């Protein structure tokens, strides 16, 4: 598929009216060249997609094809290659717009990663609109990327950071959100899906509550867009952030969606080429969003890769991917619960394909190392959510995370290997 071709989003709609088809994860696996290798003499079982997803051949080839045929710098040349590159680059903005149902491509800003998108909002919107005494609300389960930028801003402006607590299941209660909101709240910044626990947060309800208090809402969707369809207009999110490499795309590319009315009031984040309307030594004027926020040569090839990744998942259908991962989650949860020494952390009723667990007597890193020797890749550690680990009273967890290419066989292999871990440490 050609990267710049608009995503075939109707796949989801087609699925809605067609007879249910079996989800062919085994078939999709073949699209991912990396998955067909052996690790330590065992077939690779990749259960670390929440850290970064593997890349389908279509993404790899789209990037290679682009570099071999079309590549040049964008927005600044009259020659054929520059025009072609610019067209393909800008076509991906439309692909992203459709993917999250934004109103306009002017609301789609390309950043280096999801982390940078959050820092952009903190730096630009935060410095302009916040003052001492204002409050930012986050939850106790945020990734460091949605904590530290607000702490930096707090140190600079004298803000207050309020934390919405979690239940013992790792869920967020709307009563707690209501209790934390006040007329001082200017921004609510919350994850769509917890990377450490898998909890799907009630973001639509949180957005409604925040708006009723006059606060804007930023959704950290780094783990959201990868697991389910996202419609930013239906959500009424003011900002929605995600990162390309977890969505089967390359590293080095993130997306900031922002409502145009909000973006147009925000000053530049970085200065440089491509973001200006005119420059003199006395005065510089800036382009409108999104280009105002894209200083310097952007990650052109990575944007092409992101476009191909979105085409890929859209053709499969995000609803179908969500359904597949939910089935796997239930299957895996049920099997893992049978291992006596294993405890799942994060048992909210609404979860995405992420399972964090601890085992009696076994450090998460030991679990990760033993599994690795059997070709199984999981993540062990604090998952860049140290405050959450403190609340849970653990230094870290072992985490298995699922993707569209994960199969029941992968889960079975994980369960068998954890049985061996239990034997060793039991
Ligand atoms: N927000 C969430 C919810 C995340 O899970 C991550 C990365 C980020 C932000 C940052 O993404 P980046 O692409 O900007 O670095 N989460 C993980 C993880 O769970 N394991 O490794 C990275």
């Amino acid at each position: 598929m050609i990267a710049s071709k608009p995503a075939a989003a109707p796949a989801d709609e087609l699925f809605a009216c067609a007879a249910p088809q079996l989800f062919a994860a085994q078939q999709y696996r073949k699209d991912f060249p990396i998955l067909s290798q052996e690790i330590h003499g065992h077939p690779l079982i990749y259960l670390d997609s929440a850290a970064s997803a593997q890349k389908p051949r279509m993404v790899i080839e789209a990037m290679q094809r682009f570099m071999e045929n079309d590549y040049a710098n964008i927005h600044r040349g009259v020659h054929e290659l520059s025009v072609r590159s610019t067209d393909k680059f800008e076509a991906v903005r439309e692909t992203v717009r459709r993917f999250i149902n934004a109103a306009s491509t002017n609301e789609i800003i390309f950043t280096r990663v999801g982390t940078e998108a959050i820092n952009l909002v903190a730096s630009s919107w935060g410095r302009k609109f916040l003052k001492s005494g204002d409050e930012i609300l986050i939850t106790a389960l945020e990734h460091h990327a949605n904590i530290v930028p607000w702490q930096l801003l707090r140190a600079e402006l004298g803000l207050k950071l309020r934390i919405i607590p979690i239940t013992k299941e790792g869920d967020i209660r709307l009563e707690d959100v209501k209790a934390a909101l006040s007329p001082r709240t200017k921004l609510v910044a919350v994850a769509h899906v917890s990377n450490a626990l898998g909890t799907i947060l009630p973001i639509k309800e949180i957005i409604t509550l925040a708006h009723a208090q006059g606060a804007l809402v930023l959704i950290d969707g780094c783990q959201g867009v990868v697991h389910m369809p996202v419609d930013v207009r239906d959500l009424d999110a003011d900002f929605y952030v995600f990162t390309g490499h977890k969505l089967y795309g390359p590293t080095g590319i993130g997306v900031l969606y922002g409502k145009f009315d909000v973006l147009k009031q925000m000053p530049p984040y970085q200065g440089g080429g491509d973001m200006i309307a005119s420059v003199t030594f006395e005065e510089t004027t800036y382009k409108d969003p999104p280009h105002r926020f894209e200083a310097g040569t952007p990650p052109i090839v990575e944007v092409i890769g992101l476009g191909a990744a979105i085409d890929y998942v859209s053709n499969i259908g995000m609803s179908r991917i969500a359904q597949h991962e939910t089935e796997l989650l239930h299957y895996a949860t049920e099997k893992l619960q049978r291992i006596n020494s294993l405890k799942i952390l994060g048992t909210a009723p609404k979860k995405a394909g992420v399972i964090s667990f601890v085992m009696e007597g076994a450090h998460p890193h030991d679990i990760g190392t033993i599994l690795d020797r059997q070709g199984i890749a999981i993540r062990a550690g604090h998952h860049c959510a140290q405050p959450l680990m403190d609340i849970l009273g653990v230094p870290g967890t072992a985490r298995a995370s699922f993707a569209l290419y994960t199969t029941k066989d992968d889960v079975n292999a994980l369960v068998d290997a954890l049985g061996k871990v239990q034997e060793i440490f039991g």
Side-chain angles (χ1 to χ4, degrees), residues 408-423:
K408 283 190 177 166
D409 288 345
D410 293 341
V411 173
N412 293 338
L414 171 73
V415 173
D416 287 350
L418 289 174
K420 288 184 195 129
V421 173
Q422 176 166 263
E423 278 169 29

Side-chain angles (χ1 to χ4, degrees), residues 48-52 112-118 141-146 190-196 220-224 241-246 251-254 354 379 382-385 399 401:
D48 196 20
S49 298
S52 202
R112 200 172 46 80
V113 257
T115 299
E116 190 183 38
I118 299 174
L141 51 66
E142 299 305 318
H143 185 280
H144 297 165
N146 197 29
V190 296
H192 190 171
V193 171
S194 158
N195 68 312
D220 171 1
C222 289
Q223 303 286 349
V241 165
F242 65 95
T243 204
H245 66 94
K246 295 184 201 287
T251 52
I253 177 67
V354 174
R379 175 145 187 212
H382 55 60
H383 316 295
C384 299
R399 180 189 70 183
S401 51

Side-chain angles (χ1 to χ4, degrees), residues 207-226:
I207 290 169
T208 305
L209 290 173
H211 284 172
Q213 281 286 1
L216 297 195
V217 182
L218 177 143
I219 304 295
D220 171 1
C222 289
Q223 303 286 349
V225 283
V226 301

Side-chain angles (χ1 to χ4, degrees), residues 137-142 162-164 166 172 189-191 201 206:
L137 216 57
I138 61 174
T139 77
L141 51 66
E142 299 305 318
R162 284 184 78 119
I163 315 298
I164 302 165
I166 50 165
I172 298 293
V190 296
L201 278 72
I206 293 175

Side-chain angles (χ1 to χ4, degrees), residues 56 81 117 330 391 399:
L81 288 185
H330 291 148
I391 291 167
R399 180 189 70 183

